[in-house]
Amino acid sequence: MKHNILYLLFIALFLLASCQQEEPAPMSDYGYLALSVQAGDIDVVMTRAEEEEEPLIVELWKGDTKKKLTAEEMQEKIRLEVGGDYKIVAYTNSYNDYESWTNTDKGEAVYYGEFPFVVEDGKTTRVNAEVPMINLGVKLVLPEGFETLFPTYTFNVTVGERAVALRNGETAYFPYDEDITAFNYELKATNVDGEEQTDEGSYKEGIAPGTLYIVTYAMETQSLAVVH
């Protein structure tokens, strides 16, 4: 009888231990986000853009609700409820109005990107957001001595319906449109003898966002070209 009681007690303890092992760990309903955000590299035809990048605005979206993140918040892990309806949206201030630039606006590089992610219970989700440049630029680079030989000149670049005048070293930025596959440029110059010269061309190799196109002038041939 005593042995039977001990046996039953052993079975009960075994079953209790088994139930405890099979019982899932309690859900915390929270996870963490480790976020790294930076502007993506510009695909440059000749050289990288030298313009200083403006600070990025970074927003955390949960469904239709958004919160602007501060630099301090992004340096730490962010505690979030478990779920999959999250995304990081990062952009420069110029994103809000760049499509309304006029012919008198040279514009600037515009960055924008969306990065969806999922938060799992008790885990840290890492998001490395490489924010791309979504517009394109055209820069005029004249050779040394050009402005001495041609003290008067005008240069215009046209992308779509927008035309912008540039001086040596300046860049104009344009919204990218997949329906626009080329841009036009024209240089009118007057030399020291008062002789006028006009040279124009069109870059038809296809244009892409995130690209800076360099228009140069060759003194030997007295003609313009896009360096690539």
Side-chain angles (χ1 to χ4, degrees):
M1 184 71 176
K2 183 177 181 181
H3 290 291
N4 290 339
I5 295 175
L6 292 175
Y7 176 76
L8 293 174
L9 180 60
F10 174 78
I11 294 297
L13 291 173
F14 176 78
L15 293 175
L16 178 61
S18 298
C19 292
Q20 290 176 340
Q21 290 177 357
E22 294 175 359
E23 184 178 343
M27 298 287 287
S28 65
D29 294 330
Y30 289 95
Y32 297 89
L33 169 65
L35 179 61
S36 172
V37 182
Q38 62 183 21
D41 289 337
I42 302 174
D43 179 17
V44 179
V45 174
M46 179 177 174
T47 183
R48 293 189 182 280
E50 297 176 353
E51 287 78 9
E52 182 179 352
E53 296 172 359
E54 63 175 313
L56 290 169
I57 297 170
V58 181
E59 297 171 346
L60 171 64
W61 286 72
K62 171 64 173 176
D64 296 327
T65 303
K66 69 176 180 179
K67 175 188 177 183
K68 184 176 179 180
L69 297 177
T70 66
E72 292 75 15
E73 288 174 316
M74 288 187 284
Q75 291 175 0
E76 305 291 340
K77 289 184 178 180
I78 302 172
R79 185 172 180 261
L80 298 171
E81 294 182 353
V82 171
D85 197 17
Y86 286 101
K87 66 179 177 181
I88 291 294
V89 178
Y91 56 93
T92 50
N93 279 312
S94 49
Y95 174 75
N96 294 316
D97 60 4
Y98 79 107
E99 292 184 335
S100 63
W101 290 339
T102 68
N103 291 352
T104 59
D105 298 314
K106 292 182 175 62
E108 58 190 79
V110 180
Y111 292 85
Y112 181 90
E114 296 186 8
F115 309 88
F117 64 95
V118 175
V119 176
E120 299 183 59
D121 183 62
K123 296 183 179 180
T124 297
T125 299
R126 299 188 180 277
V127 175
N128 296 317
E130 297 279 351
V131 187
M133 176 180 165
I134 62 171
N135 60 345
L136 59 101
V138 180
K139 184 175 184 177
L140 176 64
V141 178
L142 297 175
E144 184 177 355
F146 177 90
E147 292 172 283
T148 300
L149 295 175
F150 298 93
T152 302
Y153 73 90
T154 59
F155 176 84
N156 288 278
V157 57
T158 303
V159 180
E161 298 181 355
R162 183 161 156 256
V164 180
L166 295 177
R167 302 298 291 175
N168 184 27
E170 292 183 335
T171 304
Y173 291 89
F174 301 86
Y176 170 73
D177 187 332
E178 60 183 10
D179 294 329
I180 300 175
T181 58
F183 64 85
N184 302 316
Y185 47 89
E186 180 184 65
L187 174 69
K188 292 183 178 181
T190 303
N191 63 21
V192 290
D193 296 323
E195 300 171 331
E196 296 183 355
Q197 174 183 321
T198 299
D199 189 20
E200 57 186 14
S202 181
Y203 183 82
K204 300 179 179 180
E205 298 182 24
I207 58 178
T211 306
L212 178 64
Y213 298 91
I214 311 295
V215 180
T216 64
Y217 182 86
M219 299 288 280
E220 298 80 4
T221 60
Q222 295 187 347
S223 61
L224 294 167
V226 178
V227 179
H228 59 86

